[in-house]
Each structure stands twice: as C-alpha cells, then as structure tokens.
Amino acid sequence: MTTRTLTVLLLATAATALAARQAHTILYKPEKGSKTVYALAFTFDSTGTQVTYKAKLTNEVVDVKEDGTFIVVSYQSDGVTIVDGKTEPSLAETVTAVTTYDKYGRPTAIGGDEATPESFRVANLTSFIAPRQAVELGQTWSVTIPEDKEKKTPTTTHKYRLVSVENGVAVVEMSTAESGTEN
C-alpha cells in the first residue's frame, strides 16, 4: 500500500511539473466597451529640481476589427504635479487620444483632436504587446518599439515574464523603459 501511494504521488508530481512547462499562447482579446485604468507616474529633472507628474489614465476599447486590430480612446484625469514634496493640481488639460493597436497590442496609429507626440509615447509605454509564440511559466520575452522621428517617439523596450496562468487568465510582470532621449 505504501508503494502504491508513493507511485501515485510521483505521478502527480510529474504531471504538475509537466503542466508548469506547458507553453501558453498569450493574446489580449479586447472587447468593445471594456475599460482599463492605470496609475500613470513619471519623474524628470527640471533645471535641477525633481518633478513628478501623476495622473489616472483610462483606456476604453471603442472598436475591435475582424483582423484583431483594435481602437482605444485614452484620457488622463486627476493630474497632479509634485515639486520639492509639494503636491499641486496639474494645470495640464485632460488629454484625449484615439490609438489603433495591432492584434498583438503594438500601437500603430494615434489621432484625436488632443493627441500629441506625448500621447503616442504614453501609448508606447503603457501597451501590453503579446509574444508571437507560446511561452512557458517563468519564461521572459521582450519587445522593442523603435524610435520614430516623425512621431517624435523614442525607442521603447518592454520586458515581460509569464508569472502564472489560471482559469485562462495570465499574470505577466512587465517593465518598460525609453532610451535614446534626454526627456
């Protein structure tokens, strides 16, 4: 009886180990009307003084095409500027932009009456770009969005790691950074 129990436990452990090595296809499936909200914050140096800008960034999916591309309306609100530890409401107006993403989540176009090059930068920084191949738990991938001088956006690099997959929902760690710019 002890031998059978041990065999079953070994098989269960082996099955769990195989499941952990299973490759998962990760692709964002946007639905029209869905919203995501981010806490946007960035810090920069302004003539020797550290300045932090914080705002709420809301993205709403307004269209999903048959080929998987999707269109998102983004706007910032509740902006504050922090200088020398003092918080002030931001004087910046609410900025609304309309961004088109390919089926993997890479921003491809931006428009809207209030869209600016900074709007495209924010889209590049906050986008989730799915891997083009299946990934295993713990596996990493990176995506680089090259500098675009016409759109005035610097090179942006995303680094991802698949943390877990449960009930069809993937948890992914993400870090992003710009390079090749002084701002």
Side-chain angles (χ1 to χ4, degrees), residues 3 9-10 12-13 17 21 24-25 29 31 63-64 75 79 87 89 91 109 111 115 126 135 137 140 158 171 176 179:
T3 305
L9 287 175
L10 288 175
T13 303
R21 288 197 310 254
H24 301 275
T25 301
K29 305 252 188 211
E31 294 181 15
D63 196 14
V64 180
Y75 57 92
T87 302
L91 299 177
T126 61
V135 293
L137 292 180
T140 62
H158 295 268
V171 175
T176 186
S179 59

Side-chain angles (χ1 to χ4, degrees), residues 7-125:
T7 303
V8 170
L9 287 175
L10 288 175
L11 289 175
T13 303
T16 302
L18 288 174
R21 288 197 310 254
Q22 178 183 1
H24 301 275
T25 301
I26 301 171
L27 191 60
Y28 174 55
K29 305 252 188 211
E31 294 181 15
K32 186 175 180 177
S34 65
K35 287 185 180 182
T36 55
V37 179
Y38 298 91
L40 174 67
F42 57 89
T43 302
F44 57 95
D45 183 77
S46 175
T47 62
T49 302
Q50 189 175 37
V51 178
T52 300
Y53 173 76
K54 294 182 178 183
K56 180 169 73 173
L57 175 66
T58 303
N59 292 340
E60 181 178 357
V61 178
V62 294
D63 196 14
V64 180
K65 307 286 184 183
E66 282 189 36
D67 66 358
T69 61
F70 55 101
I71 300 171
V72 174
V73 172
S74 302
Y75 57 92
Q76 293 180 31
S77 60
D78 304 328
V80 296
T81 304
I82 304 167
V83 181
D84 292 329
K86 185 176 178 185
T87 302
E88 296 288 334
S90 176
L91 299 177
E93 296 179 24
T94 300
V95 177
T96 303
V98 180
T99 307
T100 303
Y101 296 86
D102 71 12
K103 71 178 184 177
Y104 295 101
R106 182 184 298 261
T108 58
I110 200 154
D113 293 341
E114 300 169 2
T116 66
E118 289 76 23
S119 301
F120 213 125
R121 284 177 77 177
V122 170
N124 283 347
L125 286 167

Side-chain angles (χ1 to χ4, degrees), residues 121 124-125 143-147 154-158 176-179:
R121 284 177 77 177
N124 283 347
L125 286 167
V143 177
T144 299
I145 301 171
E147 174 184 23
T155 300
T156 303
T157 302
H158 295 268
T176 186
E178 292 180 330
S179 59

